[in-house]
Structure formats: C-alpha cells, structure tokens
Amino acid sequence: MRVAVIGLGSMGMGAALNLVKAPGMQVAGCDPREATREEFAAAGGTGVARAADLPEGTEAVLVLVVNAQQAETALFGPEGAAPRLAPGAVIIVSSTMAPEEARRLAARAEAGGFLYVDAPVSGGAVGARAGQMTVMASGSAAALAKAQPVLEAVSKKVWVLGEAPGLGSTMKVVHQLLAGVHIAVAAEAMALGIRSGLDPQTLFEIVTGAAGSSWMFQNRMPHVLAGDETPLSAVDIFVKDLGLVGDLARSVAFPTPLAAQAHQLFVSARAQGHGGKDDAFVIRAYQALSGIQLPKEG
C-alpha cells in the first residue's frame, strides 16, 4: 500500500516510522525541514518537502499538522497532495480541529472522489513512537475499511464513533478540555507547593504515589523539575485547543468555566513569550503572579 504522512512533527514522525515497519507499506513523509526528511529517509521512508511531490498513486494519506487551515492547504492547496492521490484514496486527518471544519474537509474530499476519515489522535510523542496512539475516528464503512491498515500500524486502539465526519473531532475537543485543565492544575499545584516552601521533587514523588495524581501531572511536571522547555507539545497548542473547547461549548449553550480559566492561563503564558515552550511551562503564568523560583533556576 502506498501511504503518505504529511507533517513529521512530534507525533507525525512516530506514526510514519511505525508505518515503515508495517508489512506491505511504501511510505512517504512530507515535511519542509530537511533534517527531518533525512531522519525519516534513514529509517527507510521517502522524504519530500512538498505534498505536491508525494508519489503518484498514493492510496492513503495521514495528515498530522497543527490545525484545519494547514490540513486544507496540505491537501487541496496549490502545492497540495490531492493530485497525487489515487482515485478512491483515503484521506485520514488527525489534526485537532473544530467539528464543522472536519465536516467541511470531508465534503471537499468526497467531492474529489476520495474517502475521508475524521481521526484525531492522543498519546503524545512517546505514544506515537511506540505505535500506541488512541484514535477517535468517524467515517463511512468504506473509508474506515481502507484506513484500517494505516490506523492499526500507528495505534493501540481505534474508537469508531459513527459514520458522520465531525464526531471524531468532537470527541477530541472534549478530550482536550480534560488534557488542558489537567496540565494547568498540575502547574498550579506545583507552583503552590514551591511558594509554600515544599521541595518540588519531593512534592512530585508524593503526588504521583497518591490519589491526587493524574497522567498529565506524571508526564509534564518532570519537564518543570528538569527545567526543560523543549516543546514536545507547546503552550500554543492549548491556546488553540482550549479555544476550540470554548467554541464547541458556546455552540451547544454549555458552560465550561474550568476550561475557560485554564485557557486564560495558557493565553497568559503565551502573552509572556512562552507560547513556543513545552506546555508544562504554563507554570510561567503562576511564576509571573507569585515570583516563585522554578527548579534549575537561580
């Protein structure tokens, strides 16, 4: 099967590498960064800089870019992938976006004679590298059947939410409410402990062994303890994703006060110049308010 992955970022690279390992796959990866393409080529894939340079007759394309606008450009823009796809190819879009954007992209794909799967993912860079992502998918039976070999190669579980495009994206937006709030409250707890005189490493060890822990606390607070701002997932991602939560909530007249507060904390960190840093460093918003000294500083 001729497969392409557009976007070899923290999750896209992991997905692409697992596809290379899957039997019967000829995999091309698209990314503008030369070093990233070289890394992928060294692993056995084919790297291209533009979606328009993907192999002709590509049968499935997995899109792992930041948002709906990037996905649309990568697929249907002047240098997009659509002309390189085989008739009836399946387009699998795993970018986080508003449900209405997923429906619009699906309609455009179907008008071009392609199948479409709305398939956001979770699991982060580590899960992607391990082929252990969780997929929240919706699409027609034909689209899901054609996408199955690709999704099985990159995930531990594929949840099928129905045939209508947008259901997968709705589930991802709801999921991101939890992810964003959990990161923000993990940072709040760590910041409060530091301000109150607790040793941050000891705080971390106690919380992770007790009932107040969360996956996000366990996963993100080590970045703060190490002073490592390298963005495995950036503050800017949750500015976007929690914004999508607010948009969805307003569209169904539903209050989300905790998500709104967490969103403002990420916006605050971004306003302070930390948007490109690891999302754990939303803790900088608390640092600005309280003057705390973070681990590895001073």
Side-chain angles (χ1 to χ4, degrees), residues 105-195:
L105 284 178
R108 187 163 184 182
E110 289 162 6
F114 305 119
L115 299 168
Y116 187 94
V117 178
D118 175 24
V121 295
S122 181
V126 173
R129 288 269 179 169
Q132 293 289 299
M133 294 191 296
T134 296
V135 180
M136 306 159 227
S138 62
S140 69
L144 289 165
K146 189 150 193 177
Q148 183 178 356
V150 175
L151 297 178
E152 286 185 348
V154 303
S155 68
K156 65 178 179 181
K157 175 70 176 180
V158 178
W159 291 94
V160 177
L161 299 165
E163 294 197 358
L167 290 173
S169 288
T170 299
M171 183 64 240
K172 180 60 186 292
V173 171
V174 172
H175 175 274
Q176 292 305 86
L177 183 161
L178 290 165
V181 169
H182 286 178
I183 294 170
V185 79
E188 182 169 292
M190 181 63 74
L192 174 61
I194 292 170
R195 177 59 180 265

Side-chain angles (χ1 to χ4, degrees), residues 131-269:
Q132 293 289 299
M133 294 191 296
T134 296
V135 180
M136 306 159 227
S138 62
S140 69
L144 289 165
K146 189 150 193 177
Q148 183 178 356
V150 175
L151 297 178
E152 286 185 348
V154 303
S155 68
K156 65 178 179 181
K157 175 70 176 180
V158 178
W159 291 94
V160 177
L161 299 165
E163 294 197 358
L167 290 173
S169 288
T170 299
M171 183 64 240
K172 180 60 186 292
V173 171
V174 172
H175 175 274
Q176 292 305 86
L177 183 161
L178 290 165
V181 169
H182 286 178
I183 294 170
V185 79
E188 182 169 292
M190 181 63 74
L192 174 61
I194 292 170
R195 177 59 180 265
S196 303
L198 294 175
D199 173 68
Q201 180 65 44
T202 304
L203 185 158
F204 176 79
E205 292 174 7
I206 290 171
V207 170
T208 54
S213 189
S214 68
W215 190 92
M216 284 299 189
F217 190 94
Q218 295 176 32
N219 184 265
R220 296 306 206 266
M221 288 306 99
H223 305 171
V224 173
L225 294 173
D228 185 1
E229 297 177 323
T230 304
L232 299 181
S233 171
V235 165
D236 280 342
I237 294 295
F238 278 94
V239 172
K240 171 182 72 78
D241 288 3
L242 287 171
L244 292 175
V245 171
D247 292 343
L248 176 63
R250 283 188 293 274
S251 75
V252 295
F254 189 86
T256 52
L258 297 180
Q261 183 62 53
H263 186 218
Q264 288 303 302
L265 289 165
F266 282 99
V267 170
S268 176

Side-chain angles (χ1 to χ4, degrees), residues 6 29-32 37 47-55 74 78-81 84:
I6 299 178
C30 176
D31 198 279
R37 297 195 304 273
V48 300
R50 307 180 308 154
D53 296 329
L54 290 172
E79 296 184 348
R84 310 300 290 172

